[in-house]
């Protein structure tokens, strides 16, 4: 059993909350997407409105175990303060006397953010000593960092054993509720749309979802490994030669016959650039030296026709190189179709990472049911894995 924060008496208690503030920033350290900060607010507000002292902790980027001002969480404290219209105290260290002396002066309802956990290599090493030093800061442990829940680190896993009172935050509860519903009690047909660069990153998801889903639609760079396995020429398109056998096994798995759908046409380019010459060709007819960088119009029509009948859709990975305007159309069209079917009552769940970035780019974030804050975490959930950061909360 995992506690909800709503069942805890937090009055005057120091609640140590692991959040995921690993947000994208530009070269001036300006936050370019604050979704993860906004999504942490319901948990924080629930706690402070019930008289808790909230101590937030997070990582940011990959500072590799040493202090590096590029990865400071100070700009995040600032943004959180703006969003909450409240002063957020910032601790320049995440363990030891600096945070302890600030905590001693906190009043009920105050919020503090600790400096980047990954300035200590012990965080990613899941060091027992580091876990216990973090744990010493609080009375109650709450994990709301869905984006990091697939990692067994000190602040997500090691720390939990030091608390008799621990709970999942409201964001983790929401993320799991959507994914659970899709996997265990979906409104059918259940369709998965999988794209992105490589088959290797999605093999386990395909194996886990094939028995559950009614259809799986494949796009992105990974489609070409399947096309090659089917004996087609793929020009200079992206290929993972060591995955051709796996692709072939998936295509010929009798139990799954008719469930896997591959594109029938593609936009090929003379080189990997937005200035490249392009052509629309059938997937059986890709010319030598041309590379497929998006799905074609026939495929968009075929995929959209299936999606229009869906009760539930899980989407992970773009249909093409959506970062370049010339190759964004496939991803944008699928995103638009998902927005349409959402308005008609379908449940649409977008995995984090690049699919979330695409949805944001096309301004459709609020037109689908749920956009996950965790790319890796949602992928591992869909692979059928148990996330260590969530398992550690079991009472
Ligand atoms: P992933 O992290 O595996 O979901 O991959 C996302 C990346 O896949 C994005 O940056 C896309 O630009 C890239 N991508 C999608 N389609 C293709 C393609 N046909 N060829 C090369 N890269 C692609």
């Amino acid at each position: 059993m995992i506690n909800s924060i709503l069942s805890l008496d937090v009055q005057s208690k120091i609640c140590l909350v692991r959040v995921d503030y690993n947000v994208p920033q530009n070269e001036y350290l300006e936050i370019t997407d604050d979704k993860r900060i906004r999504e942490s607010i319901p948990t924080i507000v629930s706690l402070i409105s019930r008289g808790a002292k909230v101590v937030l902790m997070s990582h940011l980027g990959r500072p590799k175990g040493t202090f590096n001002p590029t990865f400071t969480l100070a700009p995040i404290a600032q943004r959180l303060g703006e969003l909450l219209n409240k002063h957020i105290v910032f601790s320049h260290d995440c363990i030891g006397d600096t945070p302890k002396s600030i905590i001693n002066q906190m009043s009920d309802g105050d919020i503090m953010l600790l400096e980047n956990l990954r300035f200590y290599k012990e965080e990613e090493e899941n060091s027992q000593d580091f876990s216990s030093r973090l744990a010493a800061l609080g009375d109650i442990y709450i994990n709301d960092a869905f984006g990091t829940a697939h990692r067994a680190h000190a602040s997500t896993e090691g720390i939990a054993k030091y608390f008799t009172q621990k709970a999942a935050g409201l964001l983790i509860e929401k993320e799991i509720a959507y994914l659970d519903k899709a996997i265990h009690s979906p409104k059918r047909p259940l369709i998965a749309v999988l794209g992105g660069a490589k088959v290797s990153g999605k093999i386990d998801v395909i194996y886990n979802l094939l028995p559950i889903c009614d259809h799986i639609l494949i796009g992105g760079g990974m489609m070409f490994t399947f096309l090659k396995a089917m004996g087609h020429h793929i020009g200079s398109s992206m290929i993972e030669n060591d995955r051709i056998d796996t692709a072939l096994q998936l295509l010929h798995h009798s139990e799954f016959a008719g469930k896997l759908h591959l594109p029938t046409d593609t936009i090929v380019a003379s080189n990997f650039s937005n200035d490249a010459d392009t052509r629309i060709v059938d997937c059986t007819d890709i010319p030598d030296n041309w590379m497929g960088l998006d799905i074609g119009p026939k495929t968009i029509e075929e995929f959209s026709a299936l999606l229009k009948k869906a009760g539930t859709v899980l989407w992970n990975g773009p249909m093409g190189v959506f970062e370049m305007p010339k190759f964004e159309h496939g991803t944008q069209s699928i995103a638009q179709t998902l927005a349409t079917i959402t308005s008609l009552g379908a449940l649409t769940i977008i995995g984090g990472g690049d699919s979330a970035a695409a949805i944001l780019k096309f301004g459709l974030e609020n037109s689908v049911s749920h956009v996950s804050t965790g790319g890796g975490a949602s992928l591992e959930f869909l692979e059928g894995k148990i996330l260590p950061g969530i398992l550690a909360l079991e009472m």
Side-chain angles (χ1 to χ4, degrees), residues 195-198 202 219-222 224 238 272 292-294 316-323 354:
K198 294 184 170 172
K202 306 261 161 56
M222 63 195 274
F224 299 101
M238 172 170 272
F272 191 81
L293 295 182
D294 198 3
N316 203 307
M319 295 291 96
V321 184
F322 74 99
E323 297 93 335
D354 281 308

mmCIF file with all atom_site columns, all heavy atoms in Angstrom, residues 195-198 202 219-222 224 238 272 292-294 316-323 354, ligand 1:
data_model
loop_
_atom_site.group_PDB
_atom_site.id
_atom_site.type_symbol
_atom_site.label_atom_id
_atom_site.label_alt_id
_atom_site.label_comp_id
_atom_site.label_asym_id
_atom_site.label_entity_id
_atom_site.label_seq_id
_atom_site.pdbx_PDB_ins_code
_atom_site.Cartn_x
_atom_site.Cartn_y
_atom_site.Cartn_z
_atom_site.occupancy
_atom_site.B_iso_or_equiv
_atom_site.pdbx_formal_charge
_atom_site.auth_seq_id
_atom_site.auth_comp_id
_atom_site.auth_asym_id
_atom_site.auth_atom_id
_atom_site.pdbx_PDB_model_num
ATOM   1   N N   . GLY A 1 195 ? 7.108  6.078  -32.052 1.00 0.00 ? 195 GLY A N   1
ATOM   2   C CA  . GLY A 1 195 ? 8.031  6.626  -33.046 1.00 0.00 ? 195 GLY A CA  1
ATOM   3   C C   . GLY A 1 195 ? 9.353  6.927  -32.383 1.00 0.00 ? 195 GLY A C   1
ATOM   4   O O   . GLY A 1 195 ? 9.741  6.240  -31.446 1.00 0.00 ? 195 GLY A O   1
ATOM   5   N N   . GLY A 1 196 ? 10.010 7.979  -32.854 1.00 0.00 ? 196 GLY A N   1
ATOM   6   C CA  . GLY A 1 196 ? 11.312 8.330  -32.289 1.00 0.00 ? 196 GLY A CA  1
ATOM   7   C C   . GLY A 1 196 ? 12.417 7.692  -33.089 1.00 0.00 ? 196 GLY A C   1
ATOM   8   O O   . GLY A 1 196 ? 12.180 7.052  -34.116 1.00 0.00 ? 196 GLY A O   1
ATOM   9   N N   . ALA A 1 197 ? 13.629 7.847  -32.596 1.00 0.00 ? 197 ALA A N   1
ATOM   10  C CA  . ALA A 1 197 ? 14.781 7.499  -33.400 1.00 0.00 ? 197 ALA A CA  1
ATOM   11  C C   . ALA A 1 197 ? 14.964 5.981  -33.555 1.00 0.00 ? 197 ALA A C   1
ATOM   12  O O   . ALA A 1 197 ? 15.072 5.478  -34.669 1.00 0.00 ? 197 ALA A O   1
ATOM   13  C CB  . ALA A 1 197 ? 16.023 8.131  -32.786 1.00 0.00 ? 197 ALA A CB  1
ATOM   14  N N   . LYS A 1 198 ? 14.982 5.275  -32.440 1.00 0.00 ? 198 LYS A N   1
ATOM   15  C CA  . LYS A 1 198 ? 15.504 3.914  -32.514 1.00 0.00 ? 198 LYS A CA  1
ATOM   16  C C   . LYS A 1 198 ? 14.526 2.835  -32.061 1.00 0.00 ? 198 LYS A C   1
ATOM   17  O O   . LYS A 1 198 ? 13.776 3.031  -31.127 1.00 0.00 ? 198 LYS A O   1
ATOM   18  C CB  . LYS A 1 198 ? 16.753 3.819  -31.646 1.00 0.00 ? 198 LYS A CB  1
ATOM   19  C CG  . LYS A 1 198 ? 17.877 4.663  -32.204 1.00 0.00 ? 198 LYS A CG  1
ATOM   20  C CD  . LYS A 1 198 ? 19.130 4.494  -31.412 1.00 0.00 ? 198 LYS A CD  1
ATOM   21  C CE  . LYS A 1 198 ? 20.300 5.154  -32.137 1.00 0.00 ? 198 LYS A CE  1
ATOM   22  N NZ  . LYS A 1 198 ? 21.502 5.170  -31.317 1.00 0.00 ? 198 LYS A NZ  1
ATOM   23  N N   . LYS A 1 202 ? 12.631 1.053  -27.898 1.00 0.00 ? 202 LYS A N   1
ATOM   24  C CA  . LYS A 1 202 ? 11.190 0.811  -27.764 1.00 0.00 ? 202 LYS A CA  1
ATOM   25  C C   . LYS A 1 202 ? 10.812 -0.674 -27.852 1.00 0.00 ? 202 LYS A C   1
ATOM   26  O O   . LYS A 1 202 ? 9.640  -1.011 -27.737 1.00 0.00 ? 202 LYS A O   1
ATOM   27  C CB  . LYS A 1 202 ? 10.424 1.585  -28.851 1.00 0.00 ? 202 LYS A CB  1
ATOM   28  C CG  . LYS A 1 202 ? 10.733 3.078  -28.900 1.00 0.00 ? 202 LYS A CG  1
ATOM   29  C CD  . LYS A 1 202 ? 9.692  3.935  -28.188 1.00 0.00 ? 202 LYS A CD  1
ATOM   30  C CE  . LYS A 1 202 ? 10.143 5.325  -27.805 1.00 0.00 ? 202 LYS A CE  1
ATOM   31  N NZ  . LYS A 1 202 ? 10.646 6.192  -28.821 1.00 0.00 ? 202 LYS A NZ  1
ATOM   32  N N   . GLY A 1 219 ? 6.068  4.708  -36.419 1.00 0.00 ? 219 GLY A N   1
ATOM   33  C CA  . GLY A 1 219 ? 6.601  5.766  -37.300 1.00 0.00 ? 219 GLY A CA  1
ATOM   34  C C   . GLY A 1 219 ? 7.999  6.125  -36.857 1.00 0.00 ? 219 GLY A C   1
ATOM   35  O O   . GLY A 1 219 ? 8.631  5.378  -36.122 1.00 0.00 ? 219 GLY A O   1
ATOM   36  N N   . GLY A 1 220 ? 8.483  7.288  -37.288 1.00 0.00 ? 220 GLY A N   1
ATOM   37  C CA  . GLY A 1 220 ? 9.813  7.741  -36.860 1.00 0.00 ? 220 GLY A CA  1
ATOM   38  C C   . GLY A 1 220 ? 10.935 6.950  -37.498 1.00 0.00 ? 220 GLY A C   1
ATOM   39  O O   . GLY A 1 220 ? 10.722 6.104  -38.369 1.00 0.00 ? 220 GLY A O   1
ATOM   40  N N   . GLY A 1 221 ? 12.148 7.197  -37.003 1.00 0.00 ? 221 GLY A N   1
ATOM   41  C CA  . GLY A 1 221 ? 13.327 6.524  -37.563 1.00 0.00 ? 221 GLY A CA  1
ATOM   42  C C   . GLY A 1 221 ? 13.254 5.015  -37.421 1.00 0.00 ? 221 GLY A C   1
ATOM   43  O O   . GLY A 1 221 ? 13.792 4.272  -38.243 1.00 0.00 ? 221 GLY A O   1
ATOM   44  N N   . MET A 1 222 ? 12.534 4.544  -36.375 1.00 0.00 ? 222 MET A N   1
ATOM   45  C CA  . MET A 1 222 ? 12.502 3.090  -36.125 1.00 0.00 ? 222 MET A CA  1
ATOM   46  C C   . MET A 1 222 ? 11.765 2.319  -37.208 1.00 0.00 ? 222 MET A C   1
ATOM   47  O O   . MET A 1 222 ? 11.975 1.117  -37.373 1.00 0.00 ? 222 MET A O   1
ATOM   48  C CB  . MET A 1 222 ? 11.890 2.810  -34.744 1.00 0.00 ? 222 MET A CB  1
ATOM   49  C CG  . MET A 1 222 ? 10.468 3.230  -34.590 1.00 0.00 ? 222 MET A CG  1
ATOM   50  S SD  . MET A 1 222 ? 9.978  3.271  -32.851 1.00 0.00 ? 222 MET A SD  1
ATOM   51  C CE  . MET A 1 222 ? 9.508  1.585  -32.598 1.00 0.00 ? 222 MET A CE  1
ATOM   52  N N   . PHE A 1 224 ? 12.247 2.217  -40.268 1.00 0.00 ? 224 PHE A N   1
ATOM   53  C CA  . PHE A 1 224 ? 13.088 1.721  -41.359 1.00 0.00 ? 224 PHE A CA  1
ATOM   54  C C   . PHE A 1 224 ? 13.744 0.383  -41.030 1.00 0.00 ? 224 PHE A C   1
ATOM   55  O O   . PHE A 1 224 ? 14.040 -0.404 -41.931 1.00 0.00 ? 224 PHE A O   1
ATOM   56  C CB  . PHE A 1 224 ? 14.122 2.789  -41.758 1.00 0.00 ? 224 PHE A CB  1
ATOM   57  C CG  . PHE A 1 224 ? 13.436 4.029  -42.246 1.00 0.00 ? 224 PHE A CG  1
ATOM   58  C CD1 . PHE A 1 224 ? 13.296 5.140  -41.412 1.00 0.00 ? 224 PHE A CD1 1
ATOM   59  C CD2 . PHE A 1 224 ? 12.854 4.066  -43.504 1.00 0.00 ? 224 PHE A CD2 1
ATOM   60  C CE1 . PHE A 1 224 ? 12.609 6.262  -41.843 1.00 0.00 ? 224 PHE A CE1 1
ATOM   61  C CE2 . PHE A 1 224 ? 12.167 5.193  -43.937 1.00 0.00 ? 224 PHE A CE2 1
ATOM   62  C CZ  . PHE A 1 224 ? 12.044 6.289  -43.105 1.00 0.00 ? 224 PHE A CZ  1
ATOM   63  N N   . MET A 1 238 ? 17.743 6.009  -41.401 1.00 0.00 ? 238 MET A N   1
ATOM   64  C CA  . MET A 1 238 ? 18.261 5.474  -40.139 1.00 0.00 ? 238 MET A CA  1
ATOM   65  C C   . MET A 1 238 ? 18.004 3.962  -40.045 1.00 0.00 ? 238 MET A C   1
ATOM   66  O O   . MET A 1 238 ? 16.935 3.476  -40.392 1.00 0.00 ? 238 MET A O   1
ATOM   67  C CB  . MET A 1 238 ? 17.524 6.185  -39.018 1.00 0.00 ? 238 MET A CB  1
ATOM   68  C CG  . MET A 1 238 ? 17.768 5.652  -37.665 1.00 0.00 ? 238 MET A CG  1
ATOM   69  S SD  . MET A 1 238 ? 17.052 6.773  -36.445 1.00 0.00 ? 238 MET A SD  1
ATOM   70  C CE  . MET A 1 238 ? 18.408 7.879  -36.206 1.00 0.00 ? 238 MET A CE  1
ATOM   71  N N   . PHE A 1 272 ? 20.254 15.243 -44.359 1.00 0.00 ? 272 PHE A N   1
ATOM   72  C CA  . PHE A 1 272 ? 19.610 15.488 -43.062 1.00 0.00 ? 272 PHE A CA  1
ATOM   73  C C   . PHE A 1 272 ? 19.616 16.980 -42.767 1.00 0.00 ? 272 PHE A C   1
ATOM   74  O O   . PHE A 1 272 ? 20.409 17.480 -41.974 1.00 0.00 ? 272 PHE A O   1
ATOM   75  C CB  . PHE A 1 272 ? 20.370 14.708 -41.975 1.00 0.00 ? 272 PHE A CB  1
ATOM   76  C CG  . PHE A 1 272 ? 19.634 14.669 -40.656 1.00 0.00 ? 272 PHE A CG  1
ATOM   77  C CD1 . PHE A 1 272 ? 18.612 13.757 -40.440 1.00 0.00 ? 272 PHE A CD1 1
ATOM   78  C CD2 . PHE A 1 272 ? 19.971 15.542 -39.627 1.00 0.00 ? 272 PHE A CD2 1
ATOM   79  C CE1 . PHE A 1 272 ? 17.932 13.719 -39.225 1.00 0.00 ? 272 PHE A CE1 1
ATOM   80  C CE2 . PHE A 1 272 ? 19.288 15.504 -38.410 1.00 0.00 ? 272 PHE A CE2 1
ATOM   81  C CZ  . PHE A 1 272 ? 18.280 14.595 -38.221 1.00 0.00 ? 272 PHE A CZ  1
ATOM   82  N N   . GLY A 1 292 ? 14.526 8.669  -45.308 1.00 0.00 ? 292 GLY A N   1
ATOM   83  C CA  . GLY A 1 292 ? 13.156 8.966  -44.879 1.00 0.00 ? 292 GLY A CA  1
ATOM   84  C C   . GLY A 1 292 ? 13.184 9.750  -43.572 1.00 0.00 ? 292 GLY A C   1
ATOM   85  O O   . GLY A 1 292 ? 13.760 9.294  -42.579 1.00 0.00 ? 292 GLY A O   1
ATOM   86  N N   . LEU A 1 293 ? 12.572 10.946 -43.586 1.00 0.00 ? 293 LEU A N   1
ATOM   87  C CA  . LEU A 1 293 ? 12.602 11.768 -42.369 1.00 0.00 ? 293 LEU A CA  1
ATOM   88  C C   . LEU A 1 293 ? 11.208 12.089 -41.832 1.00 0.00 ? 293 LEU A C   1
ATOM   89  O O   . LEU A 1 293 ? 11.066 12.813 -40.847 1.00 0.00 ? 293 LEU A O   1
ATOM   90  C CB  . LEU A 1 293 ? 13.390 13.070 -42.621 1.00 0.00 ? 293 LEU A CB  1
ATOM   91  C CG  . LEU A 1 293 ? 14.884 12.892 -42.930 1.00 0.00 ? 293 LEU A CG  1
ATOM   92  C CD1 . LEU A 1 293 ? 15.578 14.245 -43.104 1.00 0.00 ? 293 LEU A CD1 1
ATOM   93  C CD2 . LEU A 1 293 ? 15.605 12.080 -41.846 1.00 0.00 ? 293 LEU A CD2 1
ATOM   94  N N   . ASP A 1 294 ? 10.164 11.572 -42.496 1.00 0.00 ? 294 ASP A N   1
ATOM   95  C CA  . ASP A 1 294 ? 8.807  11.770 -41.956 1.00 0.00 ? 294 ASP A CA  1
ATOM   96  C C   . ASP A 1 294 ? 7.902  10.713 -42.591 1.00 0.00 ? 294 ASP A C   1
ATOM   97  O O   . ASP A 1 294 ? 8.255  10.102 -43.611 1.00 0.00 ? 294 ASP A O   1
ATOM   98  C CB  . ASP A 1 294 ? 8.292  13.183 -42.302 1.00 0.00 ? 294 ASP A CB  1
ATOM   99  C CG  . ASP A 1 294 ? 7.106  13.605 -41.427 1.00 0.00 ? 294 ASP A CG  1
ATOM   100 O OD1 . ASP A 1 294 ? 6.720  12.835 -40.511 1.00 0.00 ? 294 ASP A OD1 1
ATOM   101 O OD2 . ASP A 1 294 ? 6.568  14.702 -41.662 1.00 0.00 ? 294 ASP A OD2 1
ATOM   102 N N   . ASN A 1 316 ? 4.160  7.613  -27.831 1.00 0.00 ? 316 ASN A N   1
ATOM   103 C CA  . ASN A 1 316 ? 5.537  7.841  -27.396 1.00 0.00 ? 316 ASN A CA  1
ATOM   104 C C   . ASN A 1 316 ? 6.471  7.872  -28.609 1.00 0.00 ? 316 ASN A C   1
ATOM   105 O O   . ASN A 1 316 ? 6.645  6.866  -29.274 1.00 0.00 ? 316 ASN A O   1
ATOM   106 C CB  . ASN A 1 316 ? 5.976  6.730  -26.427 1.00 0.00 ? 316 ASN A CB  1
ATOM   107 C CG  . ASN A 1 316 ? 7.116  7.206  -25.558 1.00 0.00 ? 316 ASN A CG  1
ATOM   108 O OD1 . ASN A 1 316 ? 8.121  7.679  -26.085 1.00 0.00 ? 316 ASN A OD1 1
ATOM   109 N ND2 . ASN A 1 316 ? 6.958  7.120  -24.258 1.00 0.00 ? 316 ASN A ND2 1
ATOM   110 N N   . GLY A 1 317 ? 7.025  9.037  -28.889 1.00 0.00 ? 317 GLY A N   1
ATOM   111 C CA  . GLY A 1 317 ? 8.001  9.180  -29.972 1.00 0.00 ? 317 GLY A CA  1
ATOM   112 C C   . GLY A 1 317 ? 7.408  9.821  -31.210 1.00 0.00 ? 317 GLY A C   1
ATOM   113 O O   . GLY A 1 317 ? 6.369  9.390  -31.710 1.00 0.00 ? 317 GLY A O   1
ATOM   114 N N   . PRO A 1 318 ? 8.096  10.868 -31.723 1.00 0.00 ? 318 PRO A N   1
ATOM   115 C CA  . PRO A 1 318 ? 7.601  11.588 -32.901 1.00 0.00 ? 318 PRO A CA  1
ATOM   116 C C   . PRO A 1 318 ? 7.620  10.741 -34.181 1.00 0.00 ? 318 PRO A C   1
ATOM   117 O O   . PRO A 1 318 ? 8.378  9.782  -34.291 1.00 0.00 ? 318 PRO A O   1
ATOM   118 C CB  . PRO A 1 318 ? 8.561  12.773 -33.023 1.00 0.00 ? 318 PRO A CB  1
ATOM   119 C CG  . PRO A 1 318 ? 9.788  12.363 -32.280 1.00 0.00 ? 318 PRO A CG  1
ATOM   120 C CD  . PRO A 1 318 ? 9.354  11.426 -31.200 1.00 0.00 ? 318 PRO A CD  1
ATOM   121 N N   . MET A 1 319 ? 6.780  11.121 -35.152 1.00 0.00 ? 319 MET A N   1
ATOM   122 C CA  . MET A 1 319 ? 6.649  10.375 -36.412 1.00 0.00 ? 319 MET A CA  1
ATOM   123 C C   . MET A 1 319 ? 7.764  10.703 -37.403 1.00 0.00 ? 319 MET A C   1
ATOM   124 O O   . MET A 1 319 ? 7.957  9.995  -38.406 1.00 0.00 ? 319 MET A O   1
ATOM   125 C CB  . MET A 1 319 ? 5.297  10.688 -37.063 1.00 0.00 ? 319 MET A CB  1
ATOM   126 C CG  . MET A 1 319 ? 4.092  10.226 -36.274 1.00 0.00 ? 319 MET A CG  1
ATOM   127 S SD  . MET A 1 319 ? 3.938  8.410  -36.245 1.00 0.00 ? 319 MET A SD  1
ATOM   128 C CE  . MET A 1 319 ? 4.718  8.017  -34.692 1.00 0.00 ? 319 MET A CE  1
ATOM   129 N N   . GLY A 1 320 ? 8.458  11.826 -37.152 1.00 0.00 ? 320 GLY A N   1
ATOM   130 C CA  . GLY A 1 320 ? 9.542  12.235 -38.040 1.00 0.00 ? 320 GLY A CA  1
ATOM   131 C C   . GLY A 1 320 ? 10.435 13.216 -37.314 1.00 0.00 ? 320 GLY A C   1
ATOM   132 O O   . GLY A 1 320 ? 10.294 13.424 -36.103 1.00 0.00 ? 320 GLY A O   1
ATOM   133 N N   . VAL A 1 321 ? 11.334 13.828 -38.067 1.00 0.00 ? 321 VAL A N   1
ATOM   134 C CA  . VAL A 1 321 ? 12.259 14.799 -37.457 1.00 0.00 ? 321 VAL A CA  1
ATOM   135 C C   . VAL A 1 321 ? 11.497 16.121 -37.299 1.00 0.00 ? 321 VAL A C   1
ATOM   136 O O   . VAL A 1 321 ? 11.686 17.063 -38.071 1.00 0.00 ? 321 VAL A O   1
ATOM   137 C CB  . VAL A 1 321 ? 13.534 14.946 -38.319 1.00 0.00 ? 321 VAL A CB  1
ATOM   138 C CG1 . VAL A 1 321 ? 14.543 15.867 -37.650 1.00 0.00 ? 321 VAL A CG1 1
ATOM   139 C CG2 . VAL A 1 321 ? 14.183 13.575 -38.534 1.00 0.00 ? 321 VAL A CG2 1
ATOM   140 N N   . PHE A 1 322 ? 10.623 16.149 -36.282 1.00 0.00 ? 322 PHE A N   1
ATOM   141 C CA  . PHE A 1 322 ? 9.677  17.267 -36.135 1.00 0.00 ? 322 PHE A CA  1
ATOM   142 C C   . PHE A 1 322 ? 10.380 18.575 -35.779 1.00 0.00 ? 322 PHE A C   1
ATOM   143 O O   . PHE A 1 322 ? 9.795  19.646 -35.899 1.00 0.00 ? 322 PHE A O   1
ATOM   144 C CB  . PHE A 1 322 ? 8.633  16.946 -35.051 1.00 0.00 ? 322 PHE A CB  1
ATOM   145 C CG  . PHE A 1 322 ? 9.184  17.042 -33.660 1.00 0.00 ? 322 PHE A CG  1
ATOM   146 C CD1 . PHE A 1 322 ? 8.976  18.173 -32.886 1.00 0.00 ? 322 PHE A CD1 1
ATOM   147 C CD2 . PHE A 1 322 ? 9.958  16.019 -33.141 1.00 0.00 ? 322 PHE A CD2 1
ATOM   148 C CE1 . PHE A 1 322 ? 9.513  18.282 -31.611 1.00 0.00 ? 322 PHE A CE1 1
ATOM   149 C CE2 . PHE A 1 322 ? 10.503 16.124 -31.868 1.00 0.00 ? 322 PHE A CE2 1
ATOM   150 C CZ  . PHE A 1 322 ? 10.276 17.252 -31.105 1.00 0.00 ? 322 PHE A CZ  1
ATOM   151 N N   . GLU A 1 323 ? 11.653 18.485 -35.356 1.00 0.00 ? 323 GLU A N   1
ATOM   152 C CA  . GLU A 1 323 ? 12.387 19.707 -35.007 1.00 0.00 ? 323 GLU A CA  1
ATOM   153 C C   . GLU A 1 323 ? 12.618 20.555 -36.262 1.00 0.00 ? 323 GLU A C   1
ATOM   154 O O   . GLU A 1 323 ? 12.826 21.767 -36.164 1.00 0.00 ? 323 GLU A O   1
ATOM   155 C CB  . GLU A 1 323 ? 13.751 19.357 -34.382 1.00 0.00 ? 323 GLU A CB  1
ATOM   156 C CG  . GLU A 1 323 ? 13.670 18.600 -33.060 1.00 0.00 ? 323 GLU A CG  1
ATOM   157 C CD  . GLU A 1 323 ? 13.720 17.080 -33.230 1.00 0.00 ? 323 GLU A CD  1
ATOM   158 O OE1 . GLU A 1 323 ? 13.356 16.580 -34.318 1.00 0.00 ? 323 GLU A OE1 1
ATOM   159 O OE2 . GLU A 1 323 ? 14.101 16.393 -32.267 1.00 0.00 ? 323 GLU A OE2 1
ATOM   160 N N   . ASP A 1 354 ? 10.399 13.692 -26.150 1.00 0.00 ? 354 ASP A N   1
ATOM   161 C CA  . ASP A 1 354 ? 10.204 14.350 -27.435 1.00 0.00 ? 354 ASP A CA  1
ATOM   162 C C   . ASP A 1 354 ? 8.750  14.462 -27.858 1.00 0.00 ? 354 ASP A C   1
ATOM   163 O O   . ASP A 1 354 ? 8.376  15.413 -28.546 1.00 0.00 ? 354 ASP A O   1
ATOM   164 C CB  . ASP A 1 354 ? 10.997 13.624 -28.527 1.00 0.00 ? 354 ASP A CB  1
ATOM   165 C CG  . ASP A 1 354 ? 12.458 14.011 -28.471 1.00 0.00 ? 354 ASP A CG  1
ATOM   166 O OD1 . ASP A 1 354 ? 12.745 15.215 -28.464 1.00 0.00 ? 354 ASP A OD1 1
ATOM   167 O OD2 . ASP A 1 354 ? 13.304 13.112 -28.410 1.00 0.00 ? 354 ASP A OD2 1
HETATM 168 P P1  . LIG B 2 .   ? 13.414 9.140  -29.208 1.00 0.00 ? 1   LIG B P1  1
HETATM 169 O O1  . LIG B 2 .   ? 14.207 9.884  -28.145 1.00 0.00 ? 1   LIG B O1  1
HETATM 170 O O2  . LIG B 2 .   ? 13.895 7.764  -29.481 1.00 0.00 ? 1   LIG B O2  1
HETATM 171 O O3  . LIG B 2 .   ? 11.923 9.243  -28.982 1.00 0.00 ? 1   LIG B O3  1
HETATM 172 O O4  . LIG B 2 .   ? 13.725 9.907  -30.571 1.00 0.00 ? 1   LIG B O4  1
HETATM 173 C C1  . LIG B 2 .   ? 13.319 11.216 -30.823 1.00 0.00 ? 1   LIG B C1  1
HETATM 174 C C2  . LIG B 2 .   ? 14.078 11.731 -32.020 1.00 0.00 ? 1   LIG B C2  1
HETATM 175 O O5  . LIG B 2 .   ? 13.815 10.906 -33.132 1.00 0.00 ? 1   LIG B O5  1
HETATM 176 C C3  . LIG B 2 .   ? 13.686 13.135 -32.427 1.00 0.00 ? 1   LIG B C3  1
HETATM 177 O O6  . LIG B 2 .   ? 14.741 14.012 -32.161 1.00 0.00 ? 1   LIG B O6  1
HETATM 178 C C4  . LIG B 2 .   ? 13.433 13.015 -33.931 1.00 0.00 ? 1   LIG B C4  1
HETATM 179 O O7  . LIG B 2 .   ? 14.051 14.035 -34.683 1.00 0.00 ? 1   LIG B O7  1
HETATM 180 C C5  . LIG B 2 .   ? 14.072 11.683 -34.277 1.00 0.00 ? 1   LIG B C5  1
HETATM 181 N N1  . LIG B 2 .   ? 13.480 11.076 -35.482 1.00 0.00 ? 1   LIG B N1  1
HETATM 182 C C6  . LIG B 2 .   ? 12.185 10.868 -35.740 1.00 0.00 ? 1   LIG B C6  1
HETATM 183 N N2  . LIG B 2 .   ? 12.031 10.341 -36.968 1.00 0.00 ? 1   LIG B N2  1
HETATM 184 C C7  . LIG B 2 .   ? 13.260 10.215 -37.501 1.00 0.00 ? 1   LIG B C7  1
HETATM 185 C C8  . LIG B 2 .   ? 13.743 9.729  -38.762 1.00 0.00 ? 1   LIG B C8  1
HETATM 186 N N3  . LIG B 2 .   ? 12.920 9.287  -39.708 1.00 0.00 ? 1   LIG B N3  1
HETATM 187 N N4  . LIG B 2 .   ? 15.084 9.745  -38.965 1.00 0.00 ? 1   LIG B N4  1
HETATM 188 C C9  . LIG B 2 .   ? 15.916 10.199 -38.010 1.00 0.00 ? 1   LIG B C9  1
HETATM 189 N N5  . LIG B 2 .   ? 15.513 10.664 -36.798 1.00 0.00 ? 1   LIG B N5  1
HETATM 190 C C10 . LIG B 2 .   ? 14.197 10.668 -36.545 1.00 0.00 ? 1   LIG B C10 1
#
